[in-house]
Amino acid sequence: MRMLLIHADYLEYEVRDKALKNPEPISDEQRKGRLDEVLAVFISVEKVDEANPEEVVGKAVAEIEDVAKQVKAERIFVYPFAHLSSELAKPDVALEVLKKIEEKLKEKGYEVKRAPFGYYKAFKLSCKGHPLAELSRTIVPEEGVSK
Ligand SMILES: C[C@@H](O)[C@H](N)C(=O)N[C@H]1[C@@H](O)[C@H](n2cnc3c(N)ncnc32)O[C@@H]1CO
């Protein structure tokens, strides 16, 4: 999994066309979204993650929470982003991983939005520009460790 983490004044998106034949079904209210004072996390779920999705979810949540605490962000935007890797996981695995990350961050008390999966989206992002405002993380399951 590859993550780009941007501490931002705001992130807003608007759904445009389908980018997959079967994108995630969404309500009208999910066609647009915005969070202010947010840690935006752009995530590419990778093929290697298919070996142990639960493990990479746990590691991703830990990394995201670590950065959120450092930048004092209480809101997190989970944003599916297929452009951080050339070895993407299958869409059904990727969507489940992203939903689990959203769920676990909410359980930890963060205000969380997740941008819709499987669409082209217009977005606006206002990066704060401080030294920790732009970070990236790479997460992989342990080699051959089967639970
Ligand atoms: C396109 C661009 O504007 C938009 N931002 C976009 O990337 N759309 C992606 C993700 O929402 C999702 N998607 C599919 N596979 C994956 C994956 N392995 N990891 C993350 N997202 C995925 O499916 C879309 C097409 O790849």
Side-chain angles (χ1 to χ4, degrees), residues 44-141:
S44 285
V45 184
E46 296 185 289
K47 195 148 272 328
V48 68
D49 301 325
E50 293 177 0
N52 195 333
E54 293 76 29
E55 186 186 352
V56 291
V57 166
K59 287 181 174 179
V61 169
E63 288 289 346
I64 292 167
E65 185 165 33
D66 176 54
V67 173
K69 283 179 176 166
Q70 287 183 64
V71 301
K72 298 181 175 54
E74 294 168 4
R75 295 184 198 89
I76 298 170
F77 221 128
V78 176
Y79 200 101
F81 200 72
H83 311 286
L84 301 176
S85 172
S86 56
E87 300 280 323
L88 292 175
K90 297 192 300 269
D92 56 332
V93 173
L95 178 54
E96 278 317 301
V97 165
L98 292 161
K99 283 180 175 178
K100 288 258 183 4
I101 290 172
E102 173 192 15
E103 183 188 313
K104 290 190 180 299
L105 289 168
K106 283 179 177 173
E107 285 167 8
K108 287 179 176 287
Y110 291 97
E111 181 182 346
V112 186
K113 278 187 189 273
R114 178 174 57 80
F117 185 94
Y119 297 90
Y120 294 106
K121 294 178 285 297
F123 71 90
K124 291 179 183 164
L125 176 66
S126 172
C127 175
K128 286 182 176 290
H130 60 70
L132 293 177
E134 300 161 281
L135 297 169
S136 63
R137 294 286 187 274
T138 298
I139 291 163
V140 291

